[in-house]
């Protein structure tokens, strides 16, 4: 576990913040999936157009963005005070507040609360935070079944799959695939089910309704928590959130500590910024705002779990802490040329796209997600789209520098940093690069079954961990020189 | 050390020495729509229709007849009514129609009903949003969630122009439900489907001030 200024990061081995492969490798595999790229290109361009239309109709959009940015910056500067105030208000209104240092502690807490409520099943409304900590796996290990109720999350869960977009987690699935998943995984699904979205949605409604009506415990995330009043907010479209927030006797809400906002009035800013940036709607179909427990209306037991899991490590970085301002609208994903081609899975974390590239490495420690800050062309589209004006390109550059700096400070350089340094040295000079390529060509004779086991130094450090594809007999540079007779 | 003390301690450690706090929040956005009362109502109606809602603009005297007509139109026969709904607004139940006052009906019982009639705390013209605060005539949050048809009665004076005007008027402690059109999803290939878990259909009767 690496640390930044002494703050513990999210522990490994639990939850979904780290991929099994570096971004560049995972991205290459994703690029080979043409169905995925078609779905993504179609989806992101549709959402982009919708967003542009509804953002364009507000004459004060820039003023709202600036207010949003300022509120978030102010919140972070006094985060301890606002969290204490939130705790006090929620408690005064009949709720119980719990604190969790990390994913392991949060999972243990929630599992205990569900068990105490005597439940073996829970209904969950979409929550990236619970996905971040791997709550479903922890509940399953304790014999508790978690039913995802957001349509896309249900598709992902029944497909034994991972979400690939913040807003449309099943964006990588088409209707035929979804129909097959439902037929295979939904007990009692009508074999005559068509792949029309309306029919698939109706099947999900039927499948979930009995679970909602019988649920004793609901688990949710939160989009906002107002310190001043103790009010929690969930923004959604389908009504599954409302079901989870109102039907069960017990409600457990898991929230990252950065989601607190200072004042009731601040809602007027975020409830304008979020829906327009996110789904490209003037307002999302449903927003629920609740304060503690209301006798006779909704859950009579309310638990709020405040989660750190690496957020204080991000807070300790005065530049990097901006990533905590994120309201998870996903606008930066939809405008990102890299995301549009690779999709969300390549990022290896529940937080994909530009925001994931700056948030995940800070939560885990840069070392453990070192490829993500490089998953960008620094085109700046994300910054333009971000409703709270997070300067993602600058953060990416900052994290790259941090990565290099942290490597330098380690006494024994890691093989990767040596390779990177060597590669940088080689690529900085056309002469050296050409020589290295020719040396690589010499490796052709050594290549068996089309792979090269070792490259000559200094590139050998790279092949010590993986195979390199066999280079063509003639490099482009050699061909150019032979054809044109000029060295470049 | 408790987790609470440790997390708060980490936050203080992380913030230590970061210098002066950022200044006041610039609130240069619009706090009022600057529209006349008629314009506000027109804007709300237009937005609601955009969401596929039917909007009836009527005088107080026309409300009961409009309620009966809307229910007939949507085929809602067994309809739940929250306590405290303005009695003058309800027609005497047409033949075959039944109004059931909520006295803590179970979710399963609500699931067997066709619709719900509620009032509202306010509405927001700019976004086509109706806000329920569980006050008299609005009832528990589940009432406007489980039955498949929601008919909402709104007085003209309850319509605010912009989101900030609504936030200023609302009471924070109440459980609030903001509703903007019928429940919807675009999770399958981004094609919009209405009526996932909440009501498939939302209609609004907008009652002119007397
Ligand atoms: S970084 Fe900004 S644009 Fe991206 S998801 Fe967060 S709030 Fe939205």
């Amino acid at each position: 576990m690496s640390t930044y200024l002494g703050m513990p990061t999210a522990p490994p081995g639990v939850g979904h913040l780290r991929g099994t492969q570096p971004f560049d490798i995972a991205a290459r595999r994703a690029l080979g999936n043409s169905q995925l790229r078609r779905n993504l290109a179609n989806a992101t361009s549709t959402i982009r157009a919708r967003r542009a239309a509804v953002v364009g109709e507000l004459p004060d959009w820039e003023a709202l963005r600036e207010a949003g940015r300022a509120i978030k910056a102010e919140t972070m500067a006094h985060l301890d005070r606002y969290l204490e105030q939130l705790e006090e208000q929620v408690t005064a209104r009949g709720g119980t507040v719990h604190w969790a240092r990390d994913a392991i502690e949060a999972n243990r807490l929630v599992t205990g609360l569900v068990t105490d409520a005597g439940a073996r099943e829970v209904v969950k409304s979409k929550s990236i935070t619970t996905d971040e900590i791997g709550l479903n796996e922890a509940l399953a290990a304790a014999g508790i079944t978690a039913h995802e109720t957001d349509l896309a999350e249900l598709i992902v869960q029944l497909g034994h799959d991972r979400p690939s977009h913040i807003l449309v987690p099943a964006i990588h699935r088409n209707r035929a695939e979804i129909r097959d998943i439902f037929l295979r995984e939904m007990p009692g699904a009508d074999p005559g089910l068509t792949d029309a979205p309306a029919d698939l949605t109706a099947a999900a409604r039927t499948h979930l309704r009995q679970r909602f009506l019988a649920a004793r415990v609901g688990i949710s995330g939160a989009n906002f928590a107002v310190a001043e009043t103790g009010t929690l907010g969930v923004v959604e479209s389908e009504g599954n959130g409302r079901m989870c927030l109102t039907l069960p006797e017990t409600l457990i809400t898991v929230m990252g500590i950065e989601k607190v906002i200072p004042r009731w009035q601040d809602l007027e800013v975020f409830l304008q910024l979020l829906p327009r940036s996110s789904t490209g709607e003037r307002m999302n179909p449903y927003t629920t705002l609740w304060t503690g427990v209301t006798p006779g209306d909704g859950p009579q037991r309310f638990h709020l779990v405040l989660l750190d899991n690496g957020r204080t490590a991000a807070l300790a970085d005065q530049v990097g802490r901006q990533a905590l301002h994120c309201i998870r609208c996903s606008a930066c994903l939809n405008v990102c040329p890299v995301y549009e081609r690779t999709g969300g899975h390549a990022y290896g974390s529940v937080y994909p796209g530009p925001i994931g590239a700056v948030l995940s490495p800070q939560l885990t420690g840069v070392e453990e997600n070192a490829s993500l800050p490089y998953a960008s062309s620094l085109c700046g589209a994300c910054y333009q789209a971000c409703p709270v004006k997070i300067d993602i390109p600058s953060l990416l550059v900052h994290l790259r520098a941090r990565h290099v700096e942290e490597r330098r400070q380690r006494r024994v350089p890691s093989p990767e940093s040596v390779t990177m340094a060597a590669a940088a040295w080689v690529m900085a000079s056309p002469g050296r690069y050409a020589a290295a390529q020719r040396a690589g060509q010499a490796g052709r004779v050594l290549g068996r079954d089309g792979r090269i086991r070792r490259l000559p130094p200094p590139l050998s450090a790279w092949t010590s961990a993986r195979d390199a594809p066999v280079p063509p007999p003639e490099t482009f540079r050699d061909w150019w020189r032979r054809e044109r007779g000029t060295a470049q | 050390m408790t987790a609470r003390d440790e997390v708060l301690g980490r936050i203080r450690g992380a913030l230590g020495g970061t210098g002066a706090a950022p200044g006041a929040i610039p609130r240069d956005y619009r706090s009022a729509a600057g529209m006349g009362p008629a314009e506000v109502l027109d804007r709300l109606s237009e937005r609601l229709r955009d969401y596929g809602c039917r909007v009836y603009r009527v005088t107080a005297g026309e409300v009961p007849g409009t309620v009966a007509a809307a229910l007939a139109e949507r085929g809602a026969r067994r309809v739940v009514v929250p306590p405290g709904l303005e009695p003058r607004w309800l027609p005497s139940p047409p033949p075959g129609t039944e109004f059931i006052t909520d006295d803590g009906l179970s979710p399963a019982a609500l699931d067997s009903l066709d619709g719900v009639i509620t009032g509202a705390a306010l509405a927001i013209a700019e976004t086509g949003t109706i806000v329920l605060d569980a006050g008299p005539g609005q009832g528990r949050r589940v009432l406007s969630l489980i039955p498949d048809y929601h008919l909402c009665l709104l007085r003209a004076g309850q319509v605010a122009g912009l989101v900030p005007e609504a936030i200023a008027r609302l009471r924070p402690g109440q459980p609030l439900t903001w509703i903007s059109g019928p429940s919807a999803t675009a999770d399958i290939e981004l094609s919009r489907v209405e009526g996932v878990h909440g009501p498939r259909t939302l209609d609004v009767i907008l009652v002119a001030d007397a």
Side-chain angles (χ1 to χ4, degrees), chain A residues 209 213 242-248 296-299, chain B residues 80 102 104-107 110-111 116 118 132 134 138-148 177 197-199:
Chain A
R209 183 134 300 212
L213 298 184
R242 293 180 65 190
M243 291 276 184
C244 293
L245 297 171
T246 53
L247 286 180
D297 189 344
Chain B
V80 61
D102 176 50
L105 294 168
S106 71
L110 286 171
D111 197 29
V116 59
T118 72
L132 272 56
Q138 301 170 52
R140 302 177 295 146
R141 286 175 282 171
V142 283
L143 297 192
S144 60
L145 177 61
I146 296 182
D148 211 17
T177 305
H197 301 294

Side-chain angles (χ1 to χ4, degrees), chain B residues 40-134:
Chain B
V40 168
L41 298 185
D42 289 348
R43 175 66 56 87
L44 177 70
S45 307
E46 179 194 318
R47 296 298 198 234
L48 286 167
R49 289 186 180 120
D50 258 13
Y51 292 135
C53 305
R54 200 160 290 172
V55 181
Y56 302 87
R57 296 182 60 170
V58 300
T59 61
E62 293 166 334
V63 174
T66 312
V67 168
L71 294 177
E73 179 91 8
R74 299 294 189 179
R77 303 169 80 83
R78 300 185 65 227
V79 177
V80 61
V81 176
L85 189 74
E86 183 68 64
R88 287 172 310 162
W89 281 355
L90 285 185
S92 46
T97 302
E98 191 186 350
F99 295 135
I100 301 142
T101 302
D102 176 50
D103 55 359
L105 294 168
S106 71
L110 286 171
D111 197 29
S112 71
L113 302 180
D114 301 324
V116 59
I117 304 173
T118 72
L122 55 78
I124 308 168
E126 178 75 31
T127 57
T129 304
I130 290 154
V131 182
L132 272 56
D133 73 358

Side-chain angles (χ1 to χ4, degrees), chain A residues 419-430 432-433 458:
Chain A
T419 317
M420 284 313 199
W425 178 79
V426 169
M427 287 173 194
S429 146
R432 286 198 289 262
Y433 185 55

